[in-house]
């Protein structure tokens, strides 16, 4: 989970007079939402700034998934309040909003704990920001938006996106009906809901028109996508992928995050079929023990997951796999943790995330029997991360000597060497010298070496590329 700032884009649009600062916590859906909040506020004259002190309007787009993520919002709010007070001393002002999953989970409590907060707005209600801003300006009355109506939100969001660069996120599905016993998402994001196919395709066409070459479809359970088609039928994620692959300029499609139970045969087949569907799949399993998986209410077992991986690799032998793991779930024994390590050894992940279990208020697991001692959980986390890092390094090193198509998306840290950084089909960062004129292009690169977190490569003559699809 990272913290990101909305990129300072179009400073000249609409001759903006007010400055907006958005800080994003949590998952990619929040990154997408932050970008769309800026889109909603643009017609009101707000332009994005990266300097919080300069901002007229500050939004913290928050994450509630683990305790640490949620708690750090309050220390951040304390600092922002000081900045606001300083501004007030010189006749200025600052409006402060809390958006995202903490806003949805805690609502009014946030204002009680930090009265400097003007607006609280949940993930399905941020299209109401202009209205909430007006109300706040008038009175300290209604300033909480916490509706669960994603269809209203997408209808109300401006069609135009001002995204910059060759890669973009596109939310196609929201919410979750799975109710894993440790997880807050079903409560903060609501029930599963899919955007209609036509509206997704329209947004994708627009992105392609702005030079986007790679789109990552987002959803809490993105592979459960079942958006309505114009003929009233439902479209699966596989069908959506085929339709997107037809859009000129859109060369690469990714999607995240998937649940193992929604990995349909058609979607697996599409991975063998569609060059545009990138060979990288984030498929969290959380744990390797059947008993723990049952307590987690994951609705799949260890062997079903391993069999699924085998089928995916049959369709796409070079598939890079990624996952999420929780260690120290209530009652997890040493032996059960060993089963997680064993599963990891069998799968061989290209990259993965491991978390220490964090009890979340209102979730069933928080009240379950024996909670694990933090020292024990830490030790398990350490061992799991060590194994995952080993696998990631091995996967990266195995690319040495291959020629991979790289989509260059940003400049590197060495302008003297005209370095550019891009993405391999497997979502690895690739560093290449003498390439800074190639940003926005997909170019064959010979991989010289692989490290823990990235690859180093050199440009090769055009035409020498492997097809993006494995031979
Ligand atoms: N929808 C996605 C991801 C949800 S949150 C999915 O189902 O995979 C991202 C990750 O955070 C989860 O996969 C899980 O590994 C982790 N997570 C969720 N709740 C947690 C908790 N209470 N403590 C620790 N990690 C948690
Ligand atoms: Fe949370 Fe489970 Fe839903 Fe993922 S599938 S968002 S972990 S409840
Ligand atoms: Fe966090 Fe909400 Fe995403 S809790 S992980 S920001 S869905």
């Amino acid at each position: 989970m990272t913290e990101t700032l909305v990129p300072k884009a179009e400073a000249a649009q609409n001759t903006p007079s007010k400055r907006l600062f958005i800080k994003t916590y949590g998952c990619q859906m929040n990154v997408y939402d932050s970008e769309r909040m800026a889109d909603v506020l643009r017609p009101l004259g707000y332009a994005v700034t990266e300097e919080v002190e300069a901002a007229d309007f500050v939004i913290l787009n928050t994450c509630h998934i683990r305790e640490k993520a949620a708690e750090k919002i309050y220390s951040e709010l304390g600092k922002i309040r000081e900045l606001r007070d300083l501004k007030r001393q010189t006749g200025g002002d600052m409006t402060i909003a809390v958006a995202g999953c903490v806003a949805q989970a805690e609502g009014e409590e946030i204002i009680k704990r930090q009265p400097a907060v003007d607006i609280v707005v949940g993930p399905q209600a941020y299209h109401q920001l202009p209205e909430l801003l007006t109300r706040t300006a008038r009175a300290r009355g209604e300033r909480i938006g916490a509706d669960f109506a994603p269809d209203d939100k997408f209808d109300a969001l401006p069609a135009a996106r001002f995204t910059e660069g060759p890669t973009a996120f596109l939310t196609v599905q929201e919410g979750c009906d799975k109710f894993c016993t440790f997880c807050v998402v079903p409560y903060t994001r609501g029930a599963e809901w899919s955007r209609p196919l036509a509206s997704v395709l329209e947004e994708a066409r627009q992105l392609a028109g702005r030079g986007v070459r790679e789109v990552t479809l987002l959803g809490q359970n993105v592979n459960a996508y079942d958006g309505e088609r114009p003929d009233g039928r439902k479209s699966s994620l596989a069908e959506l992928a085929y339709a997107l692959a037809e859009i000129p300029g859109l060369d690469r499609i990714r999607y995240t995050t998937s649940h193992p139970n929604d990995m349909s045969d058609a979607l697996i087949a599409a991975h063998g079929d569609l060059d545009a569907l990138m060979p990288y799949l984030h498929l969290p399993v959380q744990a390797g023990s059947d008993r723990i998986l049952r307590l987690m209410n994951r609705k799949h077992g260890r062997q079903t997951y391993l069999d699924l991986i085998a089928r995916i690799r049959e369709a796409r032998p070079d598939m890079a796999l990624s996952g999420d793991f929780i260690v120290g779930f209530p009652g997890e024994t040493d032996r059960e943790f060993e089963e997680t390590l064993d599963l990891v050894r069998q799968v061989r992940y290209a990259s993965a995330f491991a978390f220490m279990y964090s009890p979340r208020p209102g979730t069933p697991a928080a009240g379950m029997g024996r909670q694990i001692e933090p020292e024990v959980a830490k030790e398990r986390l350490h061992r799991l991360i060590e194994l995952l890092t080993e696998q990631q390094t091995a996967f990266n090193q195995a690319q040495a000597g291959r020629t991979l198509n790289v989509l260059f998306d940003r400049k590197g840290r060495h302008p003297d060497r005209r370095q550019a950084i891009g993405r391999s089909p497997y979502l690895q960062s690739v560093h290449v010298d003498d390439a800074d004129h190639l940003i926005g292009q997909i170019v064959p690169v010979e991989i010289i070496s692989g490290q823990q977190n990235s690859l180093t490569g050199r440009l090769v003559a055009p035409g020498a590329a492997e097809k993006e699809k494995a031979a």
Side-chain angles (χ1 to χ4, degrees):
M1 305 283 131
T2 50
E3 294 169 22
T4 35
L5 300 177
V6 169
K8 187 185 197 162
E10 64 314 316
Q13 297 282 341
N14 282 346
T15 54
S17 53
K18 288 175 273 186
R19 278 164 294 187
L20 168 67
F21 175 89
I22 309 182
K23 189 163 179 178
T24 311
Y25 301 81
C27 62
Q28 291 106 325
M29 307 220 40
N30 265 10
V31 176
Y32 176 86
D33 289 342
S34 291
E35 212 189 289
R36 303 308 326 258
M37 286 181 214
D39 290 341
V40 168
L41 293 165
R42 188 171 292 103
L44 275 72
Y46 283 98
V48 171
T49 174
E50 280 163 27
E51 287 138 32
V52 60
E53 321 74 56
D56 302 289
F57 189 15
V58 173
I59 303 177
L60 298 186
N61 194 10
T62 62
C63 174
H64 200 244
I65 202 84
R66 282 168 290 273
E67 192 181 353
K68 256 196 201 138
E71 276 306 310
K72 80 174 156 202
I73 298 308
Y74 288 98
S75 56
E76 191 69 25
L77 282 172
K79 288 187 220 151
I80 291 165
R81 179 194 195 143
E82 284 174 21
L83 291 176
R84 184 204 66 177
D85 292 347
L86 271 174
K87 277 193 109 181
R88 283 189 174 171
Q89 283 167 22
T90 54
D93 206 355
M94 189 186 264
T95 306
I96 303 170
V98 177
C101 290
V102 176
Q104 191 66 42
E106 297 187 5
E108 246 165 307
E109 279 305 308
I110 297 175
I111 299 180
K112 282 196 194 131
R113 233 176 114 173
Q114 179 47 273
V117 172
D118 299 293
I119 294 171
V120 175
V121 66
Q124 312 297 4
Y126 61 78
H127 58 291
Q128 298 165 359
L129 271 171
E131 207 183 320
L132 290 165
L133 262 175
T134 328
R135 285 185 195 161
T136 321
R138 259 194 259 126
R140 305 222 132 235
E142 302 155 274
R143 49 203 171 115
I144 295 172
D147 300 352
F148 268 138
D151 37 356
D152 290 352
K153 177 180 76 183
F154 282 105
D155 284 347
L157 287 177
R161 285 186 59 180
F162 288 85
T163 189
E164 283 186 338
T167 63
F169 289 135
L170 203 179
T171 294
V172 303
Q173 184 274 338
E174 296 232 20
C176 181
D177 296 339
K178 300 285 191 289
F179 290 94
C180 300
T181 52
F182 52 80
C183 184
V184 294
V185 171
Y187 313 98
T188 64
R189 293 272 172 170
E192 276 178 17
W193 175 85
S194 298
R195 277 176 81 177
L197 183 71
S199 118
V200 173
L201 292 177
E202 173 54 36
E203 193 169 321
R205 276 188 213 103
Q206 210 213 110
L207 290 171
R210 292 184 68 90
V212 169
R213 308 287 303 272
E214 175 180 306
V215 73
T216 303
L217 309 175
L218 300 181
Q220 265 87 29
N221 271 305
V222 72
N223 57 344
Y225 176 81
D226 66 345
E228 201 169 278
R229 295 159 38 110
D231 62 10
R233 273 207 313 122
K234 299 277 185 168
S235 162
S236 66
L237 187 67
E239 286 171 87
L240 172 59
Y242 281 97
L244 287 167
E246 297 293 314
I247 296 177
L250 212 57
D251 297 297
R252 292 178 158 196
I253 302 162
R254 305 183 184 276
Y255 59 90
T256 198
T257 296
S258 299
H259 191 283
N261 290 7
D262 292 316
M263 209 63 216
S264 70
D265 291 344
L267 186 55
I268 295 172
H271 274 287
D273 229 32
L274 267 181
D275 288 350
L277 207 48
M278 290 292 97
Y280 174 95
L281 183 63
H282 186 67
L283 197 63
V285 63
Q286 313 297 354
S289 134
D290 276 328
R291 192 185 73 93
I292 295 294
L293 288 171
R294 249 192 326 274
L295 288 173
M296 286 178 163
N297 191 31
R298 284 291 294 181
K299 304 185 178 85
H300 62 75
R302 169 195 175 88
Q303 197 54 45
T304 23
Y305 181 81
L306 289 171
D307 292 346
L308 175 61
I309 299 286
R311 281 195 290 131
I312 293 166
R313 284 194 162 136
E314 219 169 283
R316 184 80 208 222
D318 66 332
M319 182 70 89
L321 285 155
S322 163
D324 291 340
F325 296 89
I326 294 178
V327 302
F329 187 82
E332 184 188 63
T333 64
D334 282 338
R335 224 193 140 118
E336 284 162 345
F337 170 65
E338 292 293 335
E339 289 185 77
T340 298
L341 293 178
D342 181 71
L343 178 138
V344 170
R345 284 190 201 101
Q346 288 195 42
V347 173
R348 287 171 290 112
Y349 287 92
S351 80
F353 305 91
F355 309 104
M356 213 159 85
Y357 169 71
S358 168
R360 306 305 292 128
T363 59
M368 267 181 200
R370 191 169 65 83
Q371 302 282 329
I372 301 297
E373 293 295 320
E375 299 76 56
V376 175
K378 249 182 228 158
E379 158 76 17
R380 288 178 190 168
L381 183 67
H382 181 76
R383 285 183 62 200
L384 177 55
I385 289 178
E386 200 169 51
L387 176 59
L388 292 170
T389 309
E390 235 175 73
Q391 294 194 340
Q392 180 171 315
T393 309
F395 182 80
N396 289 349
Q397 285 172 344
Q399 308 305 318
R402 290 186 70 188
T403 298
L404 300 177
N405 284 330
V406 171
L407 169 55
F408 286 106
D409 60 347
R410 60 194 189 279
K411 290 194 172 170
R413 256 187 258 145
H414 300 285
D416 50 315
R417 299 186 342 222
R418 302 188 46 225
Q419 189 193 51
I421 304 176
R423 292 174 171 187
S424 79
Y426 312 109
L427 206 55
Q428 299 143 300
S429 287
V430 189
H431 297 238
V432 182
D433 287 349
D434 299 312
D436 62 357
H437 58 298
L438 295 171
I439 291 177
Q441 294 187 44
I442 299 173
V443 180
V445 168
E446 188 192 330
I447 305 304
I448 303 165
S449 63
Q451 298 83 39
Q452 183 182 319
N453 293 313
S454 62
L455 308 179
T456 309
R458 68 169 82 93
L459 296 175
V460 293
E466 292 176 314
K467 285 184 71 185
E468 288 223 321
K469 203 163 133 55

